[in-house]
Amino acid sequence: RLGGRVFPYSTMAENSTERERATMRQRLAREKNATFTYSARYTSQTVSMVDAARMEQDAAAASRAKWRTPRGFVYPAPRHSSELRRHPKRPDDARVEDLREAYVDGGGSLRPGAALRGTGALAGGQPDFDARP
């Protein structure tokens, strides 16, 4: 067995049990249309012809490959740290320049002759808002 080296634990990279199962699968795969079991009476001890761990690894590799084109393009592209530090709702550069200028109060921003709301009376002496039915 493997040159006399035995690796009994499943966490070891060269697990002897898994290698023996792989060898057995290869040998039994030559027989087509047959089922192999450890018991002649029960099928609950059927030998698995599929390496589940290997299938998981292949599926994970295929999933990772979907994010990369054959030429190496990765989507989404990795972002620079300066982009990550930038606030998502940051105003554009023109607006930032406008905000850097000193604020000048417009003073009389209302049009001349515009009625002020909330004075309680409209033109003609009628109340601005009447809540009575």
Side-chain angles (χ1 to χ4, degrees), residues 9-125:
Y9 299 108
S10 63
T11 56
M12 293 182 165
E14 298 180 14
N15 185 352
S16 303
T17 308
E18 286 301 319
R19 275 202 272 186
E20 288 294 324
R21 283 185 187 148
T23 305
M24 184 174 60
R25 273 191 215 103
Q26 289 174 355
R27 194 174 30 164
L28 297 177
R30 295 181 195 140
E31 293 285 332
K32 301 296 180 192
N33 299 324
T35 303
F36 299 95
T37 64
Y38 291 103
S39 169
R41 296 180 72 187
Y42 304 105
T43 58
S44 62
Q45 295 179 341
T46 303
V47 176
S48 174
M49 298 303 284
V50 177
D51 187 1
R54 184 67 173 165
M55 287 178 66
E56 277 185 36
Q57 289 175 354
D58 292 344
S63 176
R64 281 191 303 273
K66 289 180 183 178
W67 293 94
R68 185 180 295 262
T69 63
R71 293 183 300 155
F73 176 78
V74 177
Y75 180 81
R79 295 190 288 172
H80 295 284
S81 61
S82 61
E83 291 180 70
L84 295 173
R85 288 191 304 258
R86 188 176 186 158
H87 194 277
K89 293 186 176 181
R90 182 181 188 268
D92 59 50
D93 294 335
R95 178 70 178 140
V96 170
E97 287 298 320
D98 289 344
L99 292 173
R100 284 192 180 135
E101 294 176 6
Y103 176 73
V104 177
D105 187 12
S109 61
L110 293 176
R111 294 186 317 254
L116 296 176
R117 293 184 77 74
T119 58
L122 292 176

